[in-house]
DNA sequence: TTGCTCCTCACGTCACGTGAGGTGGC
DNA sequence: TTGCTCCTCACGTCACGTGAGGTGGC
């Protein structure tokens, strides 16, 4: 037995504003069980209250309305739960990132940054297995992980690798926060490729190089230092920026990134 | 010695998109040091890179541009640091709230909620010292704390209190997420008042009452249960919702909220 | 010289909030 | 009957993103 409620009563019981409730009706997220055809008055049922509570919590977590609807509409309960758990995990990652950002900001403002040591390097032309894609800024880390996994699978057990996991980033990728990225692994000999993977040749080039330890989101520090270094010495040139992802031999949990900024020529 | 950079170069060094940089120029948050009067080309200086890094981190924390500008413009470094620390503390509170919301959502979805025991209560007319204000939804907890503190100060050492810290919430407060809230403390005898405080008389009324333990943000559970209870029994009537804030005598850290939902008459 | 970078409008997006102006329900 | 609740537009907000259409720099 479910009793009918006016939008005002429903608002009090759910702690959602009347404007929000009308909006959720407009977009079909939480339509009232009944609308008076003459007056347009909305009538909600008491058993819609728990649904509204769930929506409110998802909104507190900034889940987009569209996604909330997908979650609520999932026919299969298992499907629904999977979607929810995925979002919760995503949120928890977000929490960690936020905490890291707070820490990073504190460090930045305390000005405790030591000047970073830039070095020059000439890199020979190399052959590589690669995966090339249009990548969105926020999806980069996930894309890169999956692409490098795929490449590792292509290599299989064959011992042809002759360099670390790497990637090339186009200028557009930085300017528009969406653009071509190429994940690659340098190889000694040609091997058969399949799926997304292809064989490419990367031309020789000179770089200013800086090693970065820490989170991806902190890489702007290295980029700022490198760009400044190169600009001050008028070494700038065109070409994609290259990153090498290195793992310590002693401790495989310790990883770092080498950022390689293309320059005219090593002075 | 600071070198000039094009917007594209600056974008790569700061990891801010070109569109974002133009926007930050438009709103005066991060204007380039130089704009070519003929072409409109923006030129940034290398020493603007660290500022951009700070802006990027604040944006990752969802600080509004206006507030970032205030922080960066603060003449006094102490002023600036105070503003930053305030925001960081705010963020850390947010983190905790988000974690609580995730937990709460999990509980809700697991449907582990036991039905909440509603009771009836007639409350006599009472005299009270009160503070009345238009309160915004998100500022409620802070406002309430400050108002109840003020009221405690008005009471001073005089032993006239005859009930717990309480508040009245208007319908508008729920419907529009902004409206009149009255914080009050019931008293036995009249006392002199000053400042925001006033003496009021609260008429007798009947209520459906439900006790809530836990966070403020979880109160919608109690409201949903009470509203449903009242609607099913057709007991609804007008009048502000009343909350009592109780503290355990044994453990002063343990607090809970009684939500009192006005009804016609105790059956 | 070519194409690449950069420019400025003008409009779109998302989740509501803000009035204006009006009608039904108790 | 009165005022209170509810209704529907239409537009605003915030921080950019999305083209369109065009010009300067190497």
């Amino acid at each position: 037995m479910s009793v009918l409620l006016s939008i005002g009563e429903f608002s009090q019981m759910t702690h959602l504003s009347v404007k929000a409730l009308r909006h959720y009706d407009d977009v079909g997220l939480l339509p009232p069980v009944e609308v008076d055809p003459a007056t347009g008055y909305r009538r909600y049922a008491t058993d819609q209250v728990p649904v509204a509570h769930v929506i409110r919590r998802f909104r507190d977590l900034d889940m987009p309305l569209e996604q909330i609807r997908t979650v609520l509409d999932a026919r299969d309960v298992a499907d629904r739960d999977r979607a929810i758990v995925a979002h919760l995990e995503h949120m928890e990652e977000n929490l960690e990132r936020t905490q890291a950002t707070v820490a990073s900001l504190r460090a930045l403002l305390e000005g405790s940054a030591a000047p970073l040591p830039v070095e020059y390097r000439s890199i020979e032309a190399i052959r590589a297995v690669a995966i090339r894609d249009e990548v969105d800024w926020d999806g980069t880390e996930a894309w890169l992980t999956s692409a490098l996994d795929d490449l590792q699978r292509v290599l299989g057990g064959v011992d042809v690798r002759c360099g670390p996991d790497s990637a090339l980033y186009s200028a557009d990728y930085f300017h528009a926060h969406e653009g071509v990225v190429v994940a690659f692994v340098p190889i000694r000999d040609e091997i058969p490729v399949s799926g997304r993977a292809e064989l490419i040749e990367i031309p020789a080039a000179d770089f200013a190089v800086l090693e970065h330890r820490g989170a991806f989101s902190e890489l702007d520090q290295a980029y700022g230092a490198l760009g400044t270094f190169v600009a001050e010495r008028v070494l700038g040139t065109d070409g994609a920026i290259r990153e090498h992802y290195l793992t310590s031999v002693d401790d495989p949990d310790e990883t770092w990134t080498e950022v390689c900024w293309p320059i005219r020529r090593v002075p």
Side-chain angles (χ1 to χ4, degrees), chain A residues 105-113:
Chain A
L105 188 53
R106 282 226 155 92
L108 226 63
L109 292 167
E110 278 158 18
S112 57

Side-chain angles (χ1 to χ4, degrees), chain A residues 184-221:
Chain A
F184 71 92
V185 176
I187 51 175
R188 219 181 333 264
D189 299 304
E190 288 202 8
I191 56 166
V193 295
S194 60
R196 304 195 280 168
E198 51 181 318
L199 286 173
I200 61 169
E201 184 108 21
I202 300 169
D206 287 353
F207 297 93
V209 179
L210 185 48
E211 200 174 88
H212 168 81
R213 315 220 169 198
F216 243 55
S217 57
E218 299 279 294
L219 268 171
D220 59 350
Q221 300 298 309

Side-chain angles (χ1 to χ4, degrees), chain A residues 33-220:
Chain A
V33 286
E34 200 181 300
V35 177
D36 187 310
T39 67
Y41 275 37
R42 293 169 178 84
R43 295 289 162 188
Y44 294 87
T46 47
D47 56 17
Q48 293 186 287
V49 171
V51 186
H53 284 159
V54 170
I55 293 176
R56 191 169 90 90
R57 276 164 185 70
F58 276 127
R59 281 303 300 142
D60 281 350
L61 300 177
D62 286 322
M63 188 189 270
L65 297 185
E66 195 52 48
Q67 201 179 333
I68 298 180
R69 179 162 39 184
T70 308
V71 166
L72 295 181
D73 283 359
R75 309 162 215 157
D76 198 335
V77 177
D79 262 20
R80 198 201 62 167
D81 288 354
R82 251 192 303 282
I84 290 167
V85 167
H87 185 75
L88 292 185
E89 277 166 7
H90 183 76
M91 277 307 304
E92 278 161 5
E93 281 164 31
N94 262 351
L95 277 184
E96 284 168 35
R97 261 213 305 286
T98 302
Q99 278 162 330
T101 303
V102 169
S104 151
L105 188 53
R106 282 226 155 92
L108 226 63
L109 292 167
E110 278 158 18
S112 57
L116 302 164
V118 176
E119 60 173 271
Y120 293 115
R121 193 181 307 172
S122 292
I123 303 183
E124 299 293 295
I126 43 171
R127 221 171 255 285
V129 273
I131 293 175
R132 172 194 311 263
D133 237 326
E134 276 271 325
V135 177
D136 188 75
W137 188 268
D138 292 325
T140 306
E141 212 164 339
W143 178 86
L144 190 61
T145 306
S146 124
L148 291 173
D149 278 1
D150 278 15
L151 290 176
Q152 185 55 49
R153 223 165 290 131
V154 167
L155 290 184
V158 193
D159 177 30
V160 287
R161 177 195 283 270
C162 65
D165 287 350
S166 309
L168 298 172
Y169 295 89
S170 63
D172 231 36
Y173 169 77
F174 295 103
H175 299 170
H177 279 191
E178 184 177 359
V180 171
V181 179
V182 181
F184 71 92
V185 176
I187 51 175
R188 219 181 333 264
D189 299 304
E190 288 202 8
I191 56 166
V193 295
S194 60
R196 304 195 280 168
E198 51 181 318
L199 286 173
I200 61 169
E201 184 108 21
I202 300 169
D206 287 353
F207 297 93
V209 179
L210 185 48
E211 200 174 88
H212 168 81
R213 315 220 169 198
F216 243 55
S217 57
E218 299 279 294
L219 268 171
D220 59 350

